[in-house]
Amino acid sequence: MGNHNSFNLNHKEQLHSARINSLNKDPTLGMLPMEKLGKLLIQKSLEEDSINGIGCGVFKRYLFPQYPEMARKLFAFLVTSSGGPASSHVISYTNFKAQTERLLSVLADDRQVLMYVMMYADGKEEIDQDQFRDLLIAVYKLAMDHYPEGPQSCRYIFKTIQSVVDSAFHKKLTLKVGYLTNWILQHCPRLIVLLHRYIVHILSTGYRSVIEKCPYSKPNENEPNDLELTTPVLEQENLFKTEKNPLLPLSQVWILSTTLPALYTQPILHSKPTPNCFNTQNFLSKFLDFSCPSHWTLLYNSNQHGIGSNRFLHHVLSYRGPTLTFLRGDEGVLFCMGGTSEWRESHQYWGGDDTILLQLLPNYKVINRGPKSMYLNTSIRGYPKGIRAGNDPRKPSIEVDDSFQHVTHCGIPYKLESIEVWGCGSPKNREVQLDIKNWQIKEAEKTRKLKMTSKEWLDHPDRYLLELAGRQTYSTS
């Protein structure tokens, strides 16, 4: 009996010793992600900076080394949300855990936008132009840093961002946080989604980088990168980068992706085997599904194909998918019309619920959205000719005259300098359009080869042209 009791005691001691050893190897074993992260950051702050609590320096180095300014804003927001001063560089474990869990629980879009606007406003009730510009640049940089080819840039980025700032502030120096939140939700509703998802992902899995002492700024070159974020601009890099004025600057594609419905921006992701090991790039490829579409195809460019209604119809009709039409006018104006279905001639307005009209330059804003907002007529008598767009047929928001010489917005005419139409459907939509055009060409060739009778030739205009040229005899076969 005594031996049995001693065996039980030895067994319990061995189990207890095993638990102690396992805890010594990984002190965060059994904790939730935020608990693990908080404990490890406290340990690193003490070891590296001799700080009791979680220091801002360790927070930036281990979690957001690529984005130190964003990390500083986020850390200050966590401190002020817990009642501390914004200038504090230390936060307690309890407050850190409470505020990060609160941040992770924010799901509603309006609350997310309000939270990040307040973050970049340094917790104040008003935000100035520079602070909003910093927020836009942070989101842009985050989207551009995760291309398969490496980080991308656009020399038009500051012009694009300035158009957004000017539109939101209306020449004011500061805005109420609530007003700017509502403006973003109306004109750039998906601006904050990328930033929020990225921060949530880093906070949820950040304990791994702290344990491995491998910050996210040191990617493993041997790990495959399955993130697809190429754009039409990048797919034709030589063409667009050699031009002084590229067809569609990357920064404009980016800001459009924060506004356009998914019908236009949903890219085609090429499936690749995902490694079992942890890889931030692999995760990003799952949620950066709208940042910059890779499937847009150029249908019509007036600088290349010529401007006019016939040229427009020839290149755009028969593309049975959503399209984006860009209208550039003098004085630097740029408009975009998003059509949910193929262009067609009609005396009635058409388009689905995701039809959208925007102005990109000099101010960025949504003009209209909603069904039956598009109109095209070049041949039906008794009805207005040209292109029209808007919710009110009696007072369209955008007009292009039938000669394609002017584009009018809010009653102000601008000389139409160029038109571009991009197809936003699947590659099959483009293949179907090309097949239809090839069929039309073949049918036209067949018609030209038909022999005419003598009577038909006597009334044919070509006979008159030949006689003018001095040819009086010709075959009537």
Side-chain angles (χ1 to χ4, degrees):
M1 186 71 177
N3 292 335
H4 180 70
N5 290 336
S6 63
F7 173 79
N8 288 338
L9 290 174
N10 291 334
H11 183 62
K12 290 178 180 179
E13 289 175 358
Q14 290 174 0
L15 290 175
H16 180 68
S17 178
R19 292 192 185 99
I20 294 297
N21 291 334
S22 65
L23 288 173
N24 289 334
K25 292 180 181 178
D26 184 2
T28 64
L29 191 66
M31 294 183 181
L32 295 173
M34 288 301 97
E35 294 175 338
K36 290 183 180 182
L37 180 60
K39 293 292 185 183
L40 290 168
L41 291 178
I42 283 180
Q43 180 182 346
K44 294 296 180 183
S45 297
L46 185 61
E47 292 175 354
E48 299 179 10
D49 300 329
S50 301
I51 292 176
N52 291 322
I54 298 174
C56 183
V58 165
F59 182 81
K60 291 190 293 185
R61 285 196 297 272
Y62 281 92
L63 298 182
F64 303 98
Q66 289 179 290
Y67 313 104
E69 181 61 21
M70 182 187 73
R72 185 191 67 80
K73 293 273 189 181
L74 176 58
F75 189 87
F77 181 75
L78 297 177
V79 171
T80 54
S81 297
S82 61
S87 58
S88 177
H89 297 286
V90 182
I91 187 173
S92 67
Y93 166 78
T94 302
N95 289 336
F96 175 83
K97 179 175 176 294
Q99 295 306 318
T100 51
E101 288 178 348
R102 174 173 165 267
L103 186 149
L104 265 60
S105 66
V106 176
L107 299 177
D109 291 344
D110 56 342
R111 290 187 58 198
Q112 286 181 15
V113 175
L114 177 61
M115 179 173 64
Y116 287 98
V117 171
M118 290 184 63
M119 182 185 302
Y120 275 81
D122 296 326
K124 299 178 181 178
E125 292 296 324
E126 292 188 342
I127 184 171
D128 61 37
Q129 292 189 15
D130 290 336
Q131 291 170 330
F132 183 41
R133 191 177 291 107
D134 291 341
L135 173 58
L136 293 169
I137 291 175
V139 179
Y140 167 79
K141 189 174 187 305
L142 180 61
M144 296 300 105
D145 281 350
H146 297 94
Y147 273 78
E149 303 87 352
Q152 303 297 317
S153 61
C154 175
R155 64 178 180 270
Y156 294 90
I157 178 57
F158 294 107
K159 183 178 181 179
T160 300
I161 286 181
Q162 191 60 44
S163 69
V164 179
V165 174
D166 289 344
S167 181
F169 277 77
H170 299 289
K171 298 182 180 181
K172 295 181 180 178
L173 298 178
T174 61
L175 289 177
K176 294 291 184 180
V177 167
Y179 177 87
L180 183 58
T181 298
N182 292 331
W183 187 92
I184 292 174
L185 289 170
Q186 180 180 354
H187 299 279
C188 308
R190 294 194 290 182
L191 177 68
I192 300 299
V193 175
L194 173 61
L195 178 61
H196 180 67
R197 289 183 180 179
Y198 178 76
I199 289 177
V200 167
H201 167 66
I202 296 300
L203 291 178
S204 301
T205 60
Y207 65 90
R208 301 181 187 181
S209 68
V210 181
I211 293 175
E212 298 168 3
K213 297 183 179 180
C214 179
Y216 290 108
S217 60
K218 300 177 182 179
N220 188 349
E221 296 180 356
N222 297 323
E223 291 180 350
N225 182 354
D226 57 358
L227 182 65
E228 294 286 345
L229 280 181
T230 54
T231 69
V233 178
L234 296 181
E235 287 176 353
Q236 303 185 39
E237 181 176 356
N238 294 334
L239 171 64
F240 293 115
K241 288 197 173 183
T242 54
E243 291 186 355
K244 292 183 179 180
N245 296 307
L247 293 176
L248 196 58
L250 181 58
S251 58
Q252 290 182 4
V253 181
W254 162 72
I255 195 63
L256 275 172
S257 69
T258 68
T259 304
L260 294 172
L263 173 71
Y264 306 96
T265 61
Q266 188 66 42
I268 299 172
L269 298 177
H270 304 284
S271 59
K272 296 180 182 179
T274 303
N276 294 327
C277 62
F278 171 73
N279 184 1
T280 301
Q281 286 288 78
N282 294 334
F283 176 82
L284 288 175
S285 65
K286 297 178 181 178
F287 71 74
L288 290 179
D289 58 349
F290 56 83
S291 290
C292 283
S294 61
H295 61 296
W296 290 2
T297 180
L298 183 62
L299 302 179
Y300 171 64
N301 173 20
S302 62
N303 293 331
Q304 177 184 351
H305 302 128
I307 194 167
S309 59
N310 290 335
R311 295 284 82 202
F312 179 86
L313 296 175
H314 173 75
H315 290 278
V316 172
L317 294 186
S318 303
Y319 182 83
R320 295 169 181 172
T323 59
L324 292 174
T325 302
F326 296 88
L327 306 169
R328 285 184 173 85
D330 60 355
E331 301 184 24
V333 298
L334 175 60
F335 304 100
C336 174
M337 301 187 298
T340 59
S341 55
E342 63 179 303
W343 279 92
R344 60 179 180 269
E345 287 203 80
S346 173
H347 65 283
Q348 296 180 334
Y349 278 71
W350 47 268
D353 292 339
D354 287 332
T355 304
I356 187 169
L357 309 178
L358 305 100
Q359 180 178 346
L360 279 73
L361 294 173
N363 292 323
Y364 185 86
K365 61 182 180 180
V366 174
I367 300 173
N368 275 138
R369 67 175 79 214
K372 296 183 179 180
S373 302
M374 303 287 287
Y375 175 92
L376 169 65
N377 176 31
T378 62
S379 58
I380 305 174
R381 296 181 179 180
Y383 292 91
K385 300 290 183 64
I387 296 175
R388 294 188 167 198
N391 293 333
D392 186 357
R394 296 168 298 180
K395 192 177 180 182
S397 301
I398 297 176
E399 294 181 72
V400 177
D401 62 302
D402 57 348
S403 62
F404 279 53
Q405 295 296 312
H406 295 88
V407 55
T408 303
H409 173 57
C410 293
I412 303 175
Y414 302 92
K415 182 180 178 182
L416 185 58
E417 295 182 344
S418 66
I419 305 176
E420 296 161 23
V421 182
W422 294 80
C424 305
S426 65
K428 188 175 182 180
N429 293 128
R430 180 58 168 167
E431 293 171 5
V432 169
Q433 184 197 31
L434 295 177
D435 289 342
I436 292 174
K437 290 190 176 298
N438 289 333
W439 177 84
Q440 291 172 343
I441 292 173
K442 291 178 181 179
E443 290 298 309
E445 288 294 330
K446 289 180 182 178
T447 303
R448 289 175 58 187
K449 291 178 180 179
L450 290 176
K451 292 183 178 180
M452 291 182 291
T453 64
S454 298
K455 185 178 180 180
E456 290 173 335
W457 176 248
L458 289 174
D459 296 328
H460 200 277
D462 287 351
R463 175 179 177 274
Y464 177 69
L465 292 175
L466 287 171
E467 289 181 352
L468 287 178
R471 181 171 180 177
Q472 300 299 325
T473 60
Y474 40 81
S475 173
T476 58
S477 59

